Amino acid sequence: MINPSKKGKTKMQSFALNTIFILISLSSLSIVVSSSKPLNPCNVDFLRTQAYRQMQHQTNTTQCKKLSSLQAQFAWNYHKTSHNQTQLNILIGTKLITTTGWLAWGINPDLPRMVGTRAIIAVKVPNQITPSVNTYNITKDVQLGCKLQPSGIDFMVQNKTVVDDTDVGLFYVFATLVLPQTYNVSSLNHVWQVGYCVDGLEPKMHEASLGNLDSKEVLDLETGDCQNIGQHRRHMRKIHGILNIVGWGTLMPIGVIVARYFKQFPIKLDPCWYYFHYSCQVVGYILGTAGWGLGLFLGHESKYYTFHSHRILGICIFGFTTLQVTQILAFQFKPTQEDEYRKHWNVYHHFLGYALIVMIPVNIYKGIKILKPDNITWKWTYNGILVLLGVVVLAFEIVTWAVFLYKKCCKKTVEESSQKSVETEEDNKVQTKEGSSPRRIEVQE
């Protein structure tokens, strides 16, 4: 005969695995759907620039699109030369209204990433009439903090022009590239970047925001189709955030609420409270761990830009939740109520639980902060979840204290009544010994 409790746990675990499978399938589908996106037309100010009009005058095959981050816009046209090389004209611009800053664009023959990029960087500093523009090799040493100096690259760059149009707030660079056959125009890895810190004419490190990390894509110069690497990462971050908010940030606190208020006092639902507590903790752990694993993958993909406090807190939360859930699953090792070690086990279990209640919201808010400026919806959604959980806890606390005080008051009244009854009986015994008739005193509660 099957134990009903084991049967219920098996169903719960099966439900959790199905939930994970559905979420992973949806995330994969969203990535496939977003892998190729149509052109997002440039705005009017960019289309009216002199450089863009010249490109259109040269050929009517000029294409233009808004890039996915840093408010950048990109235009290009190309043709094959007699030596079977590719002559590529590019124009990239962005809003750079500060007096100091730099704009970079480049192509990478290997992968869509910054390390290994052959870049064109335009730098503007105060009191400079014309911003400077040079070619650079972005090496791993540069990512680690070494100086970025102008250098030659493995293809020819001609007609480098940079314009700071303060009237419309556009800063843009035009250049003509002569690419060897090793560069595939149907799958060109191109990256772009914006920074606001300059030391002389040396561009310094840009911000480590997600917009800066997502500024790369694989572009088909002929059709304009692109594989947006940053868009893939944004979808994965959404899945990461949803899994952790639902798993660690919602289900686990609900499991704590159930254990606190339905185990014995003020409402006793034995043993139903344990199964619900068990389900919330295990499903929350599975979802949160899946989100944590996805977060580690995202961190590995951007290993030069690490959000240290968010990462360390995430690892600690995973470790603590693993210990908590292991205690629940390995219930045969749990000390009994009569065991002398039970009180130590309770202290340990409660300490980890309440530590997680503090650490989880802190880390979720750290993750939401990383999503700036697209984090308003995330912030208010999680604020709503915390407020709802807080209202539930406050209501149960009020009920708990009301029941406790009521029972304490009733107990005190009963004790006083018992004391009066004892005193009356003793008084009657004394009067009987003295020969007087006993008094009957009625005590009304």
Side-chain angles (χ1 to χ4, degrees), residues 63-136:
Q63 300 190 67
C64 188
K65 60 175 286 187
K66 288 181 180 178
L67 298 176
S68 59
S69 65
L70 305 178
Q71 296 181 301
Q73 302 179 72
F74 182 60
W76 75 95
N77 61 47
Y78 77 99
H79 67 272
K80 292 290 184 178
T81 67
S82 57
H83 299 289
N84 204 24
Q85 295 177 318
T86 302
Q87 181 173 311
L88 172 63
N89 298 309
I90 65 101
L91 174 66
I92 183 165
T94 188
K95 295 283 186 181
L96 192 64
I97 57 177
T98 57
T99 57
T100 302
W102 54 269
L103 170 65
W105 178 89
I107 54 180
N108 192 317
D110 302 317
L111 293 169
R113 64 181 185 183
M114 192 62 70
V115 174
T117 294
R118 284 68 164 157
I120 302 166
I121 303 180
V123 179
K124 74 169 182 174
V125 295
N127 305 321
Q128 185 181 27
I129 299 174
T130 303
S132 64
V133 55
N134 284 293
T135 57
Y136 297 79

Side-chain angles (χ1 to χ4, degrees), residues 66-332:
K66 288 181 180 178
L67 298 176
S68 59
S69 65
L70 305 178
Q71 296 181 301
Q73 302 179 72
F74 182 60
W76 75 95
N77 61 47
Y78 77 99
H79 67 272
K80 292 290 184 178
T81 67
S82 57
H83 299 289
N84 204 24
Q85 295 177 318
T86 302
Q87 181 173 311
L88 172 63
N89 298 309
I90 65 101
L91 174 66
I92 183 165
T94 188
K95 295 283 186 181
L96 192 64
I97 57 177
T98 57
T99 57
T100 302
W102 54 269
L103 170 65
W105 178 89
I107 54 180
N108 192 317
D110 302 317
L111 293 169
R113 64 181 185 183
M114 192 62 70
V115 174
T117 294
R118 284 68 164 157
I120 302 166
I121 303 180
V123 179
K124 74 169 182 174
V125 295
N127 305 321
Q128 185 181 27
I129 299 174
T130 303
S132 64
V133 55
N134 284 293
T135 57
Y136 297 79
N137 267 311
I138 312 299
T139 64
K140 185 181 293 186
D141 295 333
V142 173
Q143 290 277 21
L144 296 175
C146 293
K147 280 191 173 184
L148 178 60
Q149 300 292 345
S151 61
I153 54 180
D154 61 359
F155 54 82
M156 187 184 300
V157 180
Q158 303 170 334
N159 306 323
K160 298 190 296 289
T161 306
V162 55
V163 176
D164 184 14
D165 191 342
T166 56
D167 293 336
V168 294
L170 268 179
F171 186 73
Y172 59 89
V173 178
F174 172 82
T176 300
L177 288 58
V178 181
L179 302 177
Q181 296 181 23
T182 53
Y183 289 86
N184 184 1
V185 296
S186 63
S187 181
L188 191 69
N189 304 314
H190 82 118
V191 300
W192 62 97
Q193 199 56 259
V194 175
Y196 300 98
C197 186
V198 174
D199 183 9
L201 294 178
E202 180 194 352
K204 304 302 287 184
M205 186 64 183
H206 57 76
E207 295 179 355
S209 69
L210 296 183
N212 295 90
L213 303 185
D214 291 341
S215 56
K216 61 200 73 173
E217 65 183 19
V218 181
L219 178 64
D220 186 338
L221 294 179
E222 183 175 357
T223 64
D225 292 336
C226 68
Q227 183 184 0
N228 195 320
I229 309 301
Q231 186 71 13
H232 293 179
R233 290 182 179 176
R234 280 191 287 274
H235 279 282
M236 295 175 73
R237 288 187 201 111
K238 287 180 181 178
I239 300 299
H240 165 70
I242 290 170
L243 286 174
N244 286 116
I245 287 176
V246 173
W248 286 349
T250 305
L251 288 176
M252 283 202 154
I254 289 175
V256 174
I257 291 172
V258 169
R260 176 170 173 79
Y261 298 108
F262 293 91
K263 183 178 180 180
Q264 288 183 342
F265 194 83
I267 303 170
K268 187 173 183 179
L269 295 176
D270 198 20
C272 295
W273 76 269
Y274 176 76
Y275 295 122
F276 197 75
H277 172 69
Y278 173 94
S279 301
C280 286
Q281 299 298 89
V282 172
V283 175
Y285 174 76
I286 293 172
L287 295 177
T289 301
W292 175 75
L294 189 56
L296 289 182
F297 173 77
L298 288 169
H300 176 74
E301 287 293 296
S302 58
K303 56 184 177 181
Y304 295 104
Y305 310 102
T306 303
F307 303 98
H308 294 284
S309 59
H310 185 59
R311 180 186 181 90
I312 291 170
L313 275 174
I315 293 172
C316 292
I317 290 170
F318 169 73
F320 283 13
T321 53
T322 301
L323 289 174
Q324 288 290 76
V325 173
T326 301
Q327 294 174 43
I328 296 174
L329 294 177
F331 56 88
Q332 64 269 28

Side-chain angles (χ1 to χ4, degrees), residues 410-424 443-445:
C410 292
K411 184 179 179 181
K412 184 177 180 181
T413 303
V414 170
E415 289 176 351
E416 290 176 352
S417 300
S418 301
Q419 183 66 27
K420 288 182 179 180
S421 299
V422 170
E423 291 176 356
T424 301
V443 178
Q444 296 182 352
E445 293 187 14

Side-chain angles (χ1 to χ4, degrees), residues 365-377:
Y365 277 117
K366 281 186 174 292
I368 291 173
K369 186 178 180 181
I370 293 171
L371 296 174
K372 279 186 175 181
D374 304 321
N375 64 346
I376 302 300
T377 303

Side-chain angles (χ1 to χ4, degrees), residues 371-406:
L371 296 174
K372 279 186 175 181
D374 304 321
N375 64 346
I376 302 300
T377 303
W378 291 92
K379 183 186 293 185
W380 284 107
T381 299
Y382 192 58
N383 285 346
I385 292 173
L386 288 186
V387 168
L388 181 60
L389 291 174
V391 168
V392 170
V393 170
L394 180 62
F396 277 120
E397 280 295 321
I398 292 172
V399 171
T400 299
W401 282 99
V403 172
F404 172 75
L405 294 174
Y406 174 76

